[in-house]
């Protein structure tokens, strides 16, 4: 079946991308690196949608894509993307095998934070007669994966350079703690301070004669500051293209919300109405969804699978009316949908598959 | 590619169903209605997995399946399930057309709570020369969709019986507020009290000569109480088959947790380890996931897309080790995965597709 030509004819819930807004977001990020040495490495995890990734790459200023998982990298490489950084540890025999399949077909690098993590990759690479490029991940404040900057990372890198099948290609540093801070001069300063130890570690390695071609990091809230720091090569900017209401509060005028979920009013009473979207259509890590109309709308709780109750007086909505809902977390919301419907106003411009959504075995 | 024969060889995150536990859950629910007039109508929204639904039906005592969406009903009818109740309002031209396609192929009923909701269904049914069976939804405490018991519902039913293309088949009443209460005599009493107005509404309709063949409702936490009430025909029991840690606290010994997400340790330090699962693999409406080993494990926050940080001293885990993680919400977790891997101990018994996961257009 072909998709309808108007968004009002879509079955709901439907994930929508406002194309003029998304294009403007893409152009603004590309303009920032224009004429500079630093490059963008857009993060695929935001939308997992290949056609959208291709628009990001086509806008210029990119050195490749970032992915969070091997499955995401599989989608990108299958579509012809030639340079992918899996900004995460890859562990387990079947995941390592998947990684190596990709390394034969494209430049695919991966983050490591221990020899326990790197050795199986190296062994499998040697068995295939290839080499895998790795970035040593530094913990610059997220306290997730990664080694501490300075001596612990330098020790790890020395060991990595001795592992057959492993090629040390540089460092990764992501300050997840900073990108969550409100827009402020303090956040900019925190972002800068968090990256200094990573840059210093790079310099120490280089002074030892260990070549360190790449330092990759930052996010939508911090790429502008980090992109001006000498010694940073790649900006892993992700959410900027779709945005969400939570991130919008943290970026100010720079980018705008392009993503929404179209919903239908199932039931209406004088002080409330009920939409046909719930937690299976809208992710809520950073709060319940927001609804622009009417201005006094309030979502008192958001935990049902297929319903959103909106408290609003004088809402003027009736059964069958359509409402645009903005999620607090775009990345996890895109993961809930098979496609993203690209629109300009009321017109459906295109429908793009979200090919890397969900988890599971490839049993084809 | 064929799936591995051992769960330890699965790529992670992997959704697992402990088959002996799930079978026992299925048998216990079937045993409850054995020899009674009341029937089970298992809720497909829990797992959206057709082979699992077929096991539920095969265990006996069922009058059909419940679904939350038209898409779920499409999966069930395509697989040959002959009786489906969409326990929700269906609104919008394309959704109504989908519903009518199903009504030609199976007994598919739908909940309505207004003439605004029922009229378009009736009009479309008349245009096709068919009739759609509807249940009038009563709000028995969820304050979501539904009319109030008594006069408002009786008025609606009178109007429904006059709409061409609509066949009034009975009432639906779901106390979402009660199923969330802790296991207690108070909860049982609340469940009973909430259903009395629905049963009374049924009696009033029947005393007016309006035939009301079905009263359908209840959930895993309340089916036992409600199933003993005269005038209740169907029990929409869903979560019982997989369960999750949140629901386990609310059912006591009756059912056990059969669902887990298998995860891999990406990184380990003395006081913590990091797993390769996050909010894109594990739903968290009712709290962060739980980890049984070691007993002092704690998940301090759970909002990352691909990571869970587990605080635990003396965890003894190393990079590459596997850990079973239990979600707080099984229904939304199943929706994140393409398949469910059915296992008995370490053995993979089967791999079943979660065919109705996610939202989107059928563009095939």
């Amino acid at each position: 079946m072909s998709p309808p030509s108007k968004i009002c004819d879509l079955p709901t819930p439907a994930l929508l991308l406002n194309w003029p807004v998304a294009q403007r977001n893409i152009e603004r990020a590309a303009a920032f690196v224009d004429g500079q040495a630093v490059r963008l490495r857009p993060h695929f995890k935001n939308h997992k949608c290949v056609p959208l990734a291709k628009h990001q790459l086509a806008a210029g200023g990119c050195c490749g894509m970032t992915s969070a998982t091997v499955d995401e990298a599989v989608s990108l490489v299958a579509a012809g993307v030639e340079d992918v950084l899996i900004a995460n540890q890859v562990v387990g025999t079947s995941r390592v095998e998947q990684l190596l399949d990709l390394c034969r077909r494209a430049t695919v690098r991966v983050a490591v934070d221990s020899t326990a993590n790197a050795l199986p990759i190296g062994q499998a690479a040697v068995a295939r007669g290839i080499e895998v490029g790795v970035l040593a991940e530094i913990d610059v404040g997220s306290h997730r994966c990664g080694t501490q900057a300075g001596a612990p990372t330098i020790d790890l890198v020395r060991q990595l350079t001795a592992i057959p099948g492993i090629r040390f290609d540089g460092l990764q540093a992501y300050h997840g703690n900073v990108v969550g801070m409100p827009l402020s001069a303090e956040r900019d300063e925190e972002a800068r301070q968090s990256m200094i130890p990573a840059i210093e570690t790079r310099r120490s390695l280089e002074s030892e004669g260990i070549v360190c071609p790449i330092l990759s990091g930052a996010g939508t809230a911090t790429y502008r500051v980090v992109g001006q720091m000498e010694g940073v090569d790649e900006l892993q900017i992700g959410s900027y293209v779709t945005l969400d209401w939570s991130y919008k509060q943290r970026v100010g005028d720079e980018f705008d919300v392009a993503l929404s979920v179209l919903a239908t009013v199932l039931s209406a009473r004088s002080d409330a109405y009920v939409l046909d979207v719930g937690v299976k259509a809208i992710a809520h890590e950073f709060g319940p969804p927001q609804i622009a109309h009417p201005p006094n709308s309030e979502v008192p709780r958001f935990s049902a699978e297929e319903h959103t109750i909106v408290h609003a007086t004088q809402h003027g909505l009736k059964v069958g009316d359509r409402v645009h809902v903005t999620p607090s977390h775009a990345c996890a919301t895109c993961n809930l949908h098979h496609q993203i419907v690209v629109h300009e106003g009321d017109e459906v411009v295109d429908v793009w598959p979200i090919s890397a959504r969900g988890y599971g075995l490839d049993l084809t």
Side-chain angles (χ1 to χ4, degrees), chain A:
Chain A
M1 131 189 174
S2 58
S5 61
K6 301 281 184 186
I7 60 171
C8 60
D9 294 327
L10 288 164
T12 60
L15 185 69
L16 302 185
L17 187 71
N18 185 326
W19 189 226
V21 175
Q23 274 183 305
R24 200 166 58 225
N25 290 342
I26 290 171
E27 285 159 11
R28 284 178 180 171
F32 171 73
V33 295
D34 191 37
Q36 296 198 55
V38 72
R39 301 283 84 183
L40 303 177
R41 190 181 272 287
H43 210 317
F44 191 54
K45 79 181 175 79
N46 172 237
H47 49 73
K48 301 192 182 214
C49 171
V50 167
L52 186 47
K54 292 204 160 178
H55 278 283
Q56 291 172 286
L57 294 172
C62 299
C63 58
M65 292 294 294
T66 308
S67 82
T69 67
V70 183
D71 285 341
E72 289 176 8
V74 167
S75 276
L76 289 167
V77 172
V81 175
E82 290 170 1
D83 191 317
V84 179
L85 167 63
I86 303 173
N88 203 351
Q89 283 59 36
V90 170
V91 176
T93 307
S94 55
R95 289 297 182 201
V96 168
E97 290 299 320
Q98 260 187 304
L99 168 66
L100 292 174
D101 287 344
L102 294 178
C103 290
R104 296 189 101 127
R105 299 166 61 196
T107 301
V108 178
R109 296 184 181 90
V110 64
V112 296
D113 75 347
S114 68
T115 53
N117 164 210
L119 276 167
I121 297 173
Q123 281 163 4
V126 167
R128 295 203 189 199
I130 61 171
E131 219 175 37
V132 177
V134 303
L135 303 194
E137 180 164 2
I138 304 185
D139 175 8
V140 291
S142 291
H143 304 319
R144 206 162 65 183
C145 295
T147 50
Q148 294 306 298
T153 299
I154 293 166
D155 285 349
L156 173 63
V157 171
R158 283 187 197 125
Q159 295 175 71
L160 291 175
T161 58
I163 297 177
I166 292 291
R167 184 184 70 243
F168 173 71
D169 278 351
L171 301 171
Q172 170 175 289
Y174 176 63
H175 39 229
N177 53 321
V178 180
V179 300
M181 292 173 67
L183 174 62
S184 62
E186 287 72 24
R187 184 183 70 193
D188 288 354
E189 188 51 27
E190 282 281 335
R192 214 184 324 265
Q193 290 299 330
S194 81
M195 291 302 284
I196 288 172
I199 294 169
E200 285 174 350
T201 303
R202 176 192 198 149
R203 297 295 172 229
S204 300
L205 289 167
E206 289 171 336
S207 70
E208 280 195 30
I210 298 174
V211 181
C212 185
I214 299 168
L215 172 54
S216 187
T220 294
T222 59
Y223 82 100
R224 200 163 264 274
V225 171
V226 174
Q228 290 165 359
M229 296 177 80
E230 184 83 24
V232 175
D233 305 278
E234 300 182 352
L235 303 167
Q236 295 173 9
I237 182 171
S239 298
Y240 76 102
V241 57
T242 60
L243 229 60
D244 52 45
W245 72 250
S246 166
Y247 229 125
K248 175 64 187 169
Q249 294 181 333
R250 290 179 273 141
V251 294
D253 295 333
E254 193 170 352
F255 300 118
D256 293 306
V257 177
L259 195 80
S260 68
V261 177
L262 190 69
T264 299
V265 175
L266 293 181
S267 193
R269 29 187 201 268
S270 61
D271 59 344
Y273 59 91
V274 183
L275 296 173
D276 65 345
V277 294
V279 299
K280 285 179 175 169
I282 298 179
H284 56 103
E285 282 70 57
F286 308 125
Q290 287 190 346
I291 291 153
H293 175 80
N296 61 340
S297 296
E298 197 192 329
V299 177
R301 61 182 182 277
F302 186 69
S303 63
E305 290 156 61
E306 315 290 350
H307 297 87
T308 301
I309 302 170
V310 183
H311 285 187
T313 50
Q314 297 184 305
H315 54 76
L317 292 168
K318 60 187 192 307
V319 171
D321 283 349
R322 301 303 178 95
V323 174
H324 289 268
V325 180
T326 308
S328 66
H329 193 188
C331 309
T333 298
C334 290
N335 186 53
L336 297 168
H337 294 261
H338 300 324
Q339 300 108 2
I340 193 160
V341 177
V342 187
H343 70 106
E344 293 189 19
D346 296 335
E347 303 287 330
V348 173
V349 176
D350 217 334
V351 179
W352 293 338
I354 300 177
S355 51
R357 78 187 182 288
Y359 285 106
L361 301 167
D362 177 8
L363 297 175
T364 53

